[in-house]
Amino acid sequence: MEPLLKQSRSLCPFLKKTAPSTLRALSTSSSPSAGGGTMSNLQIVAKRCPVMSKALAVQSVRSASFGRRAASVSSIQKRNIVVPSKAVNFNTSNPAHAQAADLEDIHRKVGVFDSANPDKPVCPHGQAAMHAAKLAGKLTPVNGARVTRPSKVFEKVQCTAKFDYEGFYQNEIDKKHADKSYRYFNNINRLAKDFPQAHLDTPDKLVTAWCSNDYLGMGRNPEVLKAMHETLDMYGAGAGGTRNISGHNKHAIELEASLAKLHSKDAALVFSSCFVANDATLATLGSKMPDCVFLSDSLNHSSMIQGIRHSGAKKMVFKHNDVADLEAKLASLPLHVPKIIAFESVYSMCGSIGPIEEIQDLAEKYGALTFLDEVHAVGMYGPHGAGVAEHLDWEAHAAGKPKGTIMDRIDIITGTLGKAYGCVGGYIAGSARFVDTIRSLAPGFIFTTSLPPATMAGATAAIEYQYANSADRIKQQEHVAIVKDALEKRDFPVIPNPSHIVPVLVGNAALARKASDMLLENHGIYVQAINYPTVPKGQERLRITPTPGHTRPFREQLYAALEDVWTTLELKRTSDWALEGGLCGVGVPEAKPEPIWTPEQLAGGSAKKAEEVVMKTGRSVEKTILEKEMGVASGVVA
């Protein structure tokens, strides 16, 4: 059908304006016709077109006059000429037949020839009729029967049995195994009293978790646990329903108030997860705003990709953190068209930081909304833990003056309660009208059971604790600096970035899996392998996330274990990647960016202490920090 459509669209308005999928749908459904029987919906619609209607009439007359299986045709007809070489008996009282006869006669007299004689002129109207007639002939139901065309898969074989669902499942799983992207799940049971340790299937099998997103150890924070215990005892396990039925309570109100305060926004709204928050919010905005266009960073999280897809709105993908590419795409759109720029602050698999201020400047210039995902940054950056947007204006937020800051200018901020805050759930924050719109329209919020009261109480306690205390995130950043420095000195291929993520490049799915298994089985260290589709094929890695609890003994164990694994599996080191031209910044000269946390910020705002941390003669950052190591922060021994 597609070749005919391509040939006919330039001449036939009906075909030009109708999508192939619509034509297929019309051709495979039918309705009762005026003369009895049924007629495909394509024929019914096509009769309104001046070209298609006449073409269908011509096709109908031919079918009636010559039959579908004529035993003989003239030599001219064999050459695929549109009109028959001999006149057709058009003596009929049917107006459509008479009209077809006139059309046939006109084109026969003018001369409609096939491609074998290209020097002859061709009537454009007749040419369109020719293609339309061929198309109509292919799509016309035989004998007026109702037609449902099977897919090509089922046209090849005769179906004699029911669909094999279990076989389908097995085939999909086999494909995941074949391309080495099958996901394995380890039985890891984190121990609150022994953080960052966990046990496997039995309590005696201890391992050290090095890839948890509980970045600050807040999952075992005494104040968080106390709030959850008290709430659980008083209010029970569950919320009792969705927010609009029985799940709206003081815990939700207090949590959303804390989140709004954290981000200096009018309001906030809590969801069951940030995946749901991103999906529901983007899908709702994109489907409700007329002609909305999304501009999405190429490394955006699946939740944002899914939300944009569910919205049905148009999407333009810009290169990762490339503001020039983003501006070119923004400039191509009319100013009045609603636009939403969706991006992240910390990209969790590579550790890169989004150019938040530059993107916000472009958004204001071209009339776009900004949708900033701070999932891997909340609790981790800024004087109050609000994320990278707050961190960029440290002094202003530390002084309690958020007005006009980068975070204040961002339209929509999303975050999670399940990573640095150690609980579960997600949220959005923004203007009161925006939040009320999502609260009123988003199915992902309206029809989802509310988080349990104890969970919301624990999350509120975690947010308030980190709002007032920065010791955990400072300690975490210090440990990140130590680990990155130590791994780089040992030639391990750490993907350079300015954040708290420590991605170690492997570059092969099977080897990444083997490395993860060896660490767990031989060394009691749990680091999950990251493979496709989370990262592109060929960029598989181990993702290490130091916490305040990963003290020197744990770190020394990690270095020795990685040395054994890299040597045994003959994995590439940074120097090896450099010989190949580098990958993901590994082995690339001058690719190492400065950490987002400055020495002064790590020293609590004291320039003198900052100098002591990084500039003492003959002392490295690692050695200076190690000397401070027996301090205590939020119940976690450093």
Side-chain angles (χ1 to χ4, degrees):
M1 185 170 107
E2 280 77 4
L4 287 171
L5 284 176
K6 288 180 181 178
Q7 294 171 3
S8 307
R9 275 182 175 149
S10 60
L11 298 172
C12 179
F14 172 75
L15 296 178
K16 186 175 182 180
K17 294 182 179 181
T18 309
S21 59
T22 303
L23 289 172
R24 290 191 188 93
L26 289 171
S27 69
T28 56
S29 58
S30 60
S31 300
S33 63
T38 58
M39 179 179 291
S40 76
N41 290 328
L42 177 64
Q43 290 175 292
I44 294 172
V45 175
K47 283 191 173 184
R48 302 170 190 166
C49 171
V51 174
M52 283 292 286
S53 61
K54 294 175 182 179
L56 287 170
V58 170
Q59 194 269 346
S60 177
V61 171
R62 284 181 179 166
S63 298
S65 302
F66 298 105
R68 291 182 179 271
R69 300 178 182 275
S72 61
V73 292
S74 67
S75 60
I76 297 178
Q77 287 172 316
K78 288 180 180 178
R79 294 172 57 200
N80 297 321
I81 294 179
V82 171
V83 292
S85 59
K86 296 181 180 179
V88 181
N89 179 14
F90 293 122
N91 294 328
T92 173
S93 60
N94 190 320
H97 288 185
Q99 191 178 42
D102 293 338
L103 181 67
E104 186 90 356
D105 187 58
I106 290 171
H107 289 155
R108 181 168 55 81
K109 290 179 180 179
V110 172
V112 178
F113 299 92
D114 63 350
S115 59
N117 204 347
D119 295 331
K120 291 284 186 177
V122 178
C123 170
H125 186 244
Q127 187 79 348
M130 174 183 72
H131 292 309
K134 288 181 179 179
L135 177 63
K138 285 182 174 291
L139 298 178
T140 302
V142 179
N143 298 326
R146 192 179 188 89
V147 175
T148 301
R149 294 186 183 274
S151 67
K152 292 182 179 180
V153 174
F154 297 108
E155 287 178 344
K156 296 178 182 179
V157 296
Q158 184 177 2
C159 296
T160 58
K162 294 179 180 179
F163 186 80
D164 182 6
Y165 297 99
E166 292 298 322
F168 166 79
Y169 304 146
Q170 188 61 52
N171 182 59
E172 293 300 308
I173 294 171
D174 289 344
K175 287 191 292 185
K176 297 293 287 182
H177 280 291
D179 67 6
K180 307 301 181 183
S181 66
Y182 181 79
R183 292 175 182 262
Y184 295 87
F185 295 88
N186 293 301
N187 186 353
I188 303 295
N189 304 275
R190 300 193 314 138
L191 296 167
K193 294 181 179 180
D194 296 308
F195 177 83
Q197 290 190 296
H199 71 74
L200 300 179
D201 53 331
T202 60
D204 61 305
K205 298 179 181 178
L206 291 178
V207 297
T208 303
W210 271 96
C211 59
S212 172
N213 286 338
D214 185 0
Y215 296 128
L216 303 177
M218 290 300 292
R220 52 80 57 91
N221 180 277
E223 293 191 21
V224 173
L225 296 182
K226 178 183 177 183
M228 295 185 73
H229 279 300
E230 291 175 352
T231 307
L232 181 64
D233 291 340
M234 179 172 287
Y235 296 100
T242 60
R243 287 282 289 276
N244 66 309
I245 292 178
S246 62
H248 186 69
N249 48 47
K250 73 166 193 164
H251 311 289
I253 295 169
E254 290 171 357
L255 175 55
E256 288 170 351
S258 290
L259 290 167
K261 180 184 73 172
L262 174 69
H263 294 290
S264 300
K265 298 298 182 185
D266 297 337
L269 191 66
V270 173
F271 291 77
S272 56
S273 73
C274 199
F275 191 106
V276 176
N278 285 350
D279 184 6
T281 301
L282 292 173
T284 300
L285 291 176
S287 63
K288 295 297 182 181
M289 287 185 181
D291 303 318
C292 179
V293 178
F294 284 102
L295 295 105
S296 177
D297 189 286
S298 61
L299 291 189
N300 271 346
H301 189 262
S302 176
S303 58
M304 285 191 277
I305 296 171
Q306 190 87 329
I308 293 170
R309 183 181 295 123
H310 286 164
S311 76
K314 296 179 181 178
K315 176 183 69 173
M316 302 177 79
V317 178
F318 61 93
K319 298 174 185 177
H320 178 53
N321 284 350
D322 190 330
V323 291
D325 187 41
L326 172 60
E327 182 167 19
K329 289 177 167 57
L330 283 167
S332 70
L333 299 170
L335 194 62
H336 70 277
V337 170
K339 298 169 280 288
I340 301 174
I341 305 172
F343 64 111
E344 300 180 40
S345 59
V346 177
Y347 290 83
S348 63
M349 292 302 145
C350 61
S352 61
I353 301 288
I356 301 174
E357 185 174 13
E358 293 88 341
I359 290 177
Q360 183 61 39
D361 290 342
L362 290 178
E364 292 168 2
K365 179 179 178 180
Y366 292 98
L369 286 177
T370 44
F371 182 98
L372 174 61
D373 181 311
E374 290 259 35
V375 162
H376 289 272
V378 290
M380 304 292 294
Y381 297 90
H384 302 113
V388 176
E390 183 191 38
H391 201 103
L392 296 175
D393 290 303
W394 181 285
E395 291 79 10
H397 288 287
K401 299 177 180 179
K403 194 67 177 177
T405 61
I406 296 170
M407 187 171 73
D408 181 53
R409 293 164 60 199
I410 295 290
D411 297 295
I412 302 166
I413 293 176
T414 72
T416 184
L417 307 172
K419 292 182 171 56
Y421 291 128
C423 296
V424 68
Y427 63 88
I428 58 173
S431 71
R433 287 179 179 173
F434 156 70
V435 169
D436 197 20
T437 298
I438 301 304
R439 188 178 74 108
S440 303
L441 300 177
F445 172 80
I446 297 171
F447 299 105
T448 298
T449 298
S450 176
L451 290 173
T455 298
M456 290 192 283
T460 303
I463 293 166
E464 294 297 334
Y465 181 92
Q466 288 300 331
Y467 190 92
N469 299 278
S470 59
D472 286 341
R473 47 185 171 273
I474 289 175
K475 180 62 67 177
Q476 195 267 351
Q477 286 291 329
E478 291 175 347
H479 287 184
V480 168
I482 293 171
V483 170
K484 284 186 175 181
D485 185 59
L487 294 181
E488 288 166 1
K489 286 179 178 178
R490 290 166 170 80
D491 204 24
F492 287 112
V494 176
I495 297 175
N497 66 74
S499 73
H500 61 281
I501 308 296
V502 187
V504 185
L505 182 65
V506 177
N508 178 283
L511 290 176
R513 182 65 214 167
K514 287 182 179 179
S516 176
D517 289 343
M518 280 188 65
L519 286 170
L520 186 64
E521 295 166 6
N522 299 351
H523 299 280
I525 289 177
Y526 174 55
V527 181
Q528 183 62 280
I530 308 298
N531 56 25
Y532 179 83
T534 306
V535 296
K537 292 180 180 179
Q539 296 182 19
E540 294 80 7
R541 64 200 64 175
L542 301 180
R543 178 180 175 274
I544 296 170
T545 54
T547 73
H550 286 100
T551 52
R552 185 174 187 178
F554 292 121
R555 296 196 297 268
E556 294 297 334
Q557 180 194 20
L558 174 68
Y559 307 150
L562 289 174
E563 190 68 47
D564 175 53
V565 169
W566 247 252
T567 301
T568 302
L569 297 180
E570 299 182 340
L571 301 178
K572 294 178 184 177
R573 306 269 183 158
T574 301
S575 53
D576 298 318
W577 287 110
L579 293 174
E580 298 180 7
L583 180 66
C584 301
V586 175
V588 178
E590 300 179 359
K592 185 178 179 180
E594 289 294 321
I596 189 169
W597 276 83
T598 67
E600 185 172 323
Q601 290 165 351
L602 289 172
S606 168
K608 184 176 180 180
K609 289 182 179 179
E611 291 180 9
E612 292 176 357
V613 172
V614 296
M615 300 187 69
K616 285 187 177 181
T617 304
R619 305 167 86 93
S620 66
V621 176
E622 180 178 4
K623 184 176 180 181
T624 304
I625 296 173
L626 285 174
E627 292 176 351
K628 308 188 311 176
E629 274 217 307
M630 295 313 292
V632 177
S634 72
V636 179
V637 178

